């Protein structure tokens, strides 16, 4: 199973998972600004990778809880380079735990052996629920609270990759980056200014691969 946001990191993760497993894709809607675009990318990627199963889960509580510029339009999405040791406004409190809980429940029903997550830590905005220790803790929790015959492990194959590494490896595997979306605040043409756009554009530039997405702001 792959937790597939519709972004470039999870798209590469899906390609890597598909080398060893039949694919089931799970996507989360939680009231994010680009929910519609992300959902369409999810379905486009599920079609591309011929996923055997797909599931969209809804987390309206995350929007009601707020505390993130992705779910509360009163908060500005931070633009520019990530700031070291500072969690950006786009962090959705404990979001990945909600998604992994749903994935584990579905994984038990499907008899899944692994949940693949496209989390990136070393070259990212520094979300606390993208840290390797978070996924080790979730891995332990799954073993503690699922049925004895359940054997689901968490896999994070891109967690220590740079964005440039992700682009290069994705290009090698034929990942359709044109079917992915990274922007936090626009759905027609990417803003080019939010942290996620900045990281994506730098990754493609460093990898020497053209980014297929349209942008509102000029490139670096």
């Amino acid at each position: 199973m792959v937790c597939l946001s519709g972004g470039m990191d999870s798209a590469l993760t899906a390609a890597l998972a598909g080398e060893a497993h039949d694919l089931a894709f799970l996507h989360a809607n939680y009231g994010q600004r680009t929910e519609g675009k992300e959902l369409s990318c999810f379905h486009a990627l599920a079609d591309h990778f011929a996923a055997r199963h797909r599931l969209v889960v809804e987390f309206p509580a995350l929007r009601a809880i707020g505390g993130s510029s992705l779910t509360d339009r009163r908060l500005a999405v931070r633009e520019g380079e990530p700031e070291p040791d500072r969690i950006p406004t786009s962090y959705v409190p404990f979001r990945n735990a909600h998604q992994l809980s749903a994935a584990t429940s579905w994984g038990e029903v499907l008899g899944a052996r692994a949940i693949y997550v496209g989390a990136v830590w070393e070259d990212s905005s520094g979300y606390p629920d993208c840290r390797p220790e978070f996924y080790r803790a979730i891995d332990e929790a799954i073993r503690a609270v699922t049925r004895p015959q359940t054997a689901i492990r968490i896999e994070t194959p891109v967690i220590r990759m740079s964005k440039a590494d992700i682009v290069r490896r994705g290009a090698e595997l034929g990942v359709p980056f044109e079917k992915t979306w990274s922007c936090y605040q626009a759905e027609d043409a990417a803003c080019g200014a939010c942290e996620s756009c900045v990281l994506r554009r730098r990754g493609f530039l460093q990898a020497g691969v053209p980014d297929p997405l349209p942008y509102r702001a000029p490139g670096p």
Side-chain angles (χ1 to χ4, degrees):
M1 180 189 304
V2 181
C3 292
L4 188 71
S5 68
M8 57 186 288
D9 306 334
S10 64
L12 173 57
T13 299
L16 296 171
E19 294 180 325
H21 302 276
D22 291 332
L23 294 174
F25 286 171
L26 181 142
H27 179 76
N29 286 335
Y30 51 93
Q32 65 268 44
R33 290 172 184 252
T34 56
E35 181 177 277
K37 183 66 175 181
E38 291 179 30
L39 182 60
S40 67
C41 288
F42 163 76
H43 285 300
L45 290 167
D47 290 341
H48 174 85
F49 288 110
R52 179 172 293 185
H53 307 280
R54 67 182 80 180
L55 176 67
V56 177
V57 291
E58 305 283 345
F59 295 116
L62 290 178
R63 183 171 187 174
I65 289 167
S68 168
S69 59
L70 298 192
T71 57
D72 185 345
R73 291 181 179 272
R74 294 171 298 180
L75 302 176
V77 174
R78 189 184 179 281
E79 298 183 346
E81 291 283 344
E83 296 177 304
D85 303 318
R86 184 173 181 179
I87 298 171
T89 63
S90 53
Y91 166 62
V92 180
F94 217 49
R95 178 196 63 187
N96 289 349
H98 289 261
Q99 186 172 14
L100 287 169
S101 294
T104 301
S105 295
W106 194 34
E108 279 212 276
V109 173
L110 295 179
R113 291 179 290 152
I115 297 171
Y116 281 73
V117 186
V120 176
W121 175 242
E122 294 193 351
D123 186 24
S124 68
S125 294
Y127 298 149
D129 57 356
C130 284
R131 293 177 296 182
E133 52 265 40
F134 170 76
Y135 292 100
R136 288 195 293 268
I138 293 292
D139 209 43
E140 289 292 330
I142 289 172
R143 283 194 288 273
V145 303
T146 53
R147 293 175 295 188
Q149 64 268 35
T150 297
I152 299 173
R153 66 185 184 278
I154 300 292
E155 296 282 356
T156 54
V158 303
I159 199 163
R160 297 197 183 278
M161 294 175 70
S162 70
K163 292 294 185 185
D165 290 337
I166 288 169
V167 173
R168 293 188 193 100
R169 185 69 175 123
E172 291 172 0
L173 295 177
V175 171
F177 286 124
E178 72 279 3
K179 299 181 189 297
T180 67
W181 197 252
S182 300
C183 185
Y184 284 155
Q185 55 187 349
E187 295 186 294
D188 48 358
C191 74
C194 68
E195 285 189 7
S196 186
C197 280
V198 168
L199 288 168
R200 177 185 174 118
R201 297 177 90 171
R202 185 174 66 200
F204 275 93
L205 182 65
Q206 291 176 345
V209 176
D211 186 347
L213 293 191
Y215 287 92
R216 295 176 180 175

